[in-house]
Every structure is written in C-alpha cells, then in structure tokens.
C-alpha cells in the first residue's frame, strides 16, 4: 500500500490526512511543532462554518464548497449549529442592507426576534439571522482530528520531513512559499476574553465601517473576538489600534464587554493566493495544498477531498491549479 506523507499539522494537513485515512490510505504526518497547539494560524481561528455570511465578500466557490463543511466536521468533532446573527448600530443600517444584498439564506429580524435569539443583543433594532450556519471550537476540532488519526494508525513525526520524500502532500501554509511564489501572508489579530456577564449562544457579527467584528462563544463566558485583515506580513505583536478597535466594537455589541478579562492575544499570518481561494498543485513528486486564507475550517474539507481525489484517483477537482501544476 502506498504511504502518503502529509507535511504540516494545521487544519489543512489534519483534514487532508483525515480524508485520506477515511478512504483507506496509509498516512504519516510530519510537523516539527508536534501535535496541534499555538504554533500556527489554525489555533487562532474563529471556527465559523458560515458560507452564506462569508459570501458577502468572497468568491462563489466559498459559498458552494463551504456548505458541505458542516456535515464533514460533524463526523469528526462537536458542531454547534445555531446559526449566525448579524447586527449593526442604527447609523450603520445601510451597511446591513448592503450585506443582505450580497448574500442569501437569511431572515431579516427585528428587535423582538433578536432579543428572543440572543437576549444580550436587545439593543439592536435590526439584523439578519443565518439559521443554517454553524461553528466549531477550532482547538477542540484539531485535538479531535489528532486523536482520531492516531486511532486510525496514522503516525505523527515531530520533526521536519525528510528531503526527497515520496508521495508527499505539503500543507505548510506560508512555509511553502519557496515553491508557491504567488502565495502571500495576510495578518490577522484576535483576542480571547472572559465575560460571564454576557451570554451569547451563537456567533454574532457586528457590521462596522472601520472594524467589522465577529464574536464566537467558546462556553463558560469565554469569547473569541476577531479578526483583523491586514495586508501585511508582520506577524509580530498586535497593534494598539487593532486592540482598541476590537474591544470598542465588542463594547458596542454589549457594554458589559467593557469589564471583560483579556485571556489571550493571537497574531498570525493567513496564507492566501491572489484571488483568496485555495489551490492544489502537483509539482514534481509533491502535491501542494494551500491558500485557505480566512476560510480555514470552512474550506479545509473541500480542500481535503480535492487532494484525496488527486492523490488516490488522479481526479482533478476545481481546486487543482492545472496551469501551474
């Protein structure tokens, strides 16, 4: 049986390994960082499975391919399918209407329905409810994939992959830029806070002219606030402006967030191609799967299926970049 070597244990690498293993392939994974942890952008993600919301500023494949992500993840980890609420302050209602025009599969909701869905959003008079959307806890999802792969006999090697590896699948994000010259990094900054005085049960998106915000509940009063999208490859510390904007936007959602405890600050670079869509390329003996951009958990299942189709059946999905392969 052919042994497939996946390089990189972020969400792309683990999803690819999971898809291969589920089809009966023999798999090993190389990552010098070891098991999933705070050493990659997958750890800092929001984990939203929100194809309809993302379609507001994304290409059509994000909407179409992302819709199968919920079922794929539900077979591997806990998925909370409670939808997404999108709100805007009274002065930003035109932005809400613009958002609605650019997406689909939502219900327009007024104050009473918003309060019914999320009592702590009672201050908003208009919003959109995307009831079919879902979210995962990305850290738990990574741990669950890791555990399941171990149970399937997949070997993890905490080291760099050997040179000239046969049947390699490179899922290293920006570390693969030596071979993927059109890959760029997009800086993202996020916060994890604890605020027991606010009880949200589903992701909330606040439309804001300077800093659109999403808030994802993690349970026990813990929330992820995200995330900036900066065309910069400086992966250092968060800027004062970004932190101020994130916290100010959260305060606009509910003033109780002003008393929140900041637990974590995350900064990393998302790998992206020029059109912000993922690509699969076969260069020599290596398959490269990369460019998930801000859609890591949403599009990783489709990327993984495309890689498995190419590796096992030589079938080219739409993600296969044949012009460069």
């Amino acid at each position: 049986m052919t042994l497939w070597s996946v390089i990189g244990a972020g969400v792309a690498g683990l999803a690819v390994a999971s898809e291969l293993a589920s089809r009966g392939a023999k798999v090993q994974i190389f990552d010098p960082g070891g098991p999933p942890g705070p050493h990659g952008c997958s750890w800092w993600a929001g984990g939203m499975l929100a194809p309809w919301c993302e379609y507001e500023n994304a290409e059509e494949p994000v909407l179409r391919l992302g819709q199968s992500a919920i079922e794929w993840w539900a077979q591997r980890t806990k998925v909370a399918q409670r939808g997404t609420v999108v709100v805007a302050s009274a002065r930003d209602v035109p932005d809400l209407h613009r958002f609605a025009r650019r997406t689909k599969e939502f219900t327009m909701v007024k104050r009473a329905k918003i309060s019914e869905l999320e009592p702590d959003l009672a201050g908003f008079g208009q919003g959109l409810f995307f009831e079919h959307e879902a979210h995962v806890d990305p850290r738990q999802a990574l741990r669950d994939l890791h555990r399941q792969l171990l149970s399937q006999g997949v070997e993890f090697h905490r080291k760099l992959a050997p040179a000239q590896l046969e049947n390699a699948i490179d899922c290293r994000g920006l570390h693969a830029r030596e071979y993927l010259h059109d890959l760029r990094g997009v800086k993202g900054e996020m916060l994890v806070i604890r605020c027991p005085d606010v009880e949200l049960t589903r992701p909330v998106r606040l439309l804001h002219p300077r800093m659109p915000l999403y808030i994802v509940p993690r349970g026990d009063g813990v929330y992820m606030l995200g995330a900036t999208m900066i065309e910069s490859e400086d992966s250092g510390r968060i800027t004062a402006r970004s932190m101020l904007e994130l916290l100010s936007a959260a305060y606009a959602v509910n003033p109780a967030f002003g008393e929140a405890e900041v637990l974590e600050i995350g900064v990393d670079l998302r790998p992206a191609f020029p059109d912000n869509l993922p690509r699969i390329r076969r260069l020599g003996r290596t398959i490269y799967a990369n460019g998930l951009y801000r859609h890591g958990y949403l599009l990783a299942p489709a990327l993984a299926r495309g890689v498995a189709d190419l590796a096992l059946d030589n079938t080219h999905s739409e993600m296969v970049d044949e012009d460069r392969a």
Side-chain angles (χ1 to χ4, degrees):
M1 179 184 294
T2 300
L3 174 62
W4 292 94
S5 298
V6 175
I7 308 172
V11 66
L14 293 182
V16 166
S18 178
E19 185 68 25
L20 288 169
S22 72
R23 300 190 192 189
K26 187 176 181 181
V27 184
Q28 62 180 349
I29 298 177
F30 292 89
D31 193 316
H39 47 74
C41 57
S42 299
W43 190 256
W44 304 109
M48 294 180 295
L49 308 179
W52 293 279
C53 278
E54 288 299 308
Y55 185 49
E56 182 267 338
N57 63 0
E59 300 294 329
E60 184 275 338
V62 173
L63 172 65
R64 176 168 41 82
L65 299 175
Q67 291 181 48
S68 63
I70 294 174
E71 180 181 357
W72 192 93
W73 282 111
Q75 296 172 3
R76 293 162 172 85
T77 192
K78 180 180 178 181
V79 173
Q81 191 166 5
R82 295 183 53 79
T84 303
V85 177
V86 180
V87 293
S89 65
R91 67 182 181 183
D92 296 326
V93 165
D95 290 333
L96 188 72
H97 294 159
R98 187 177 307 112
F99 192 101
R101 288 195 299 271
R102 298 177 66 173
T103 186
K104 54 184 66 178
E105 293 296 322
F106 62 84
T107 303
M108 295 287 297
V109 288
K110 299 294 186 180
R111 190 181 307 274
K113 182 61 177 180
I114 294 172
S115 297
E116 177 186 330
L117 292 168
E118 297 290 351
D120 283 337
L121 297 181
F124 293 95
Q126 295 186 54
L128 310 173
F129 180 43
F130 294 79
E131 65 175 309
H132 302 302
E133 295 190 336
H135 68 284
V136 298
D137 180 334
R139 300 178 182 184
Q140 188 59 52
L142 292 175
R143 294 189 191 101
D144 287 342
L145 283 181
H146 178 249
R147 175 181 51 79
Q148 291 159 18
L149 288 167
L150 289 175
S151 71
Q152 292 172 299
V154 174
E155 294 186 359
F156 280 76
H157 304 285
R158 189 169 189 164
K159 60 182 181 180
L160 293 171
Q164 305 302 317
L165 194 62
E166 296 284 346
N167 302 310
I169 302 172
D170 191 316
C171 303
R172 294 179 297 144
L174 281 179
H175 294 290
R177 192 159 48 178
E178 176 184 356
Y179 305 98
L180 305 175
H181 303 299
D182 53 340
L183 199 64
R184 78 188 194 282
V186 180
K187 184 178 181 180
E189 302 154 310
M190 53 79 73
L191 303 174
V192 177
I193 64 173
R194 179 183 289 117
C195 186
D197 294 333
V198 177
E199 296 184 12
L200 299 176
T201 64
R202 50 177 60 81
V204 173
R205 295 185 183 228
L206 173 70
L207 303 185
H208 189 276
R210 292 192 311 276
M211 178 66 71
L213 173 78
Y214 54 79
I215 303 176
V216 186
R218 295 283 188 249
D220 298 324
V222 176
Y223 299 91
M224 182 270 194
L225 307 183
T228 60
M229 297 292 297
I230 302 172
E231 290 291 338
S232 167
E233 296 197 359
D234 175 11
S235 59
R237 300 179 186 276
I238 192 171
T239 65
R241 173 179 293 181
S242 294
M243 180 176 283
L244 177 63
E245 294 282 10
L246 286 169
L247 292 173
S248 296
Y251 183 83
V253 170
N254 191 306
F257 278 124
E259 302 301 318
E261 174 188 4
V262 177
L263 301 179
E264 296 180 39
I265 300 170
V267 181
D268 218 316
L269 298 178
R270 306 174 178 92
F273 289 110
D275 62 358
N276 297 328
L277 292 175
R279 292 284 187 273
I280 300 168
R281 293 177 183 164
R282 181 153 48 189
L283 304 176
R285 293 178 295 181
T286 301
I287 295 173
Y288 292 85
N290 215 312
L292 284 172
Y293 184 50
R294 60 178 283 165
H295 309 303
Y297 288 79
L298 181 63
L299 292 186
L303 183 73
R305 287 194 296 269
V307 170
D309 288 345
L310 181 62
L312 303 180
D313 303 322
N314 199 32
T315 301
H316 288 210
S317 73
E318 66 184 89
M319 287 189 183
V320 176
D321 194 345
E322 296 182 271
D323 291 339
R324 291 177 177 265

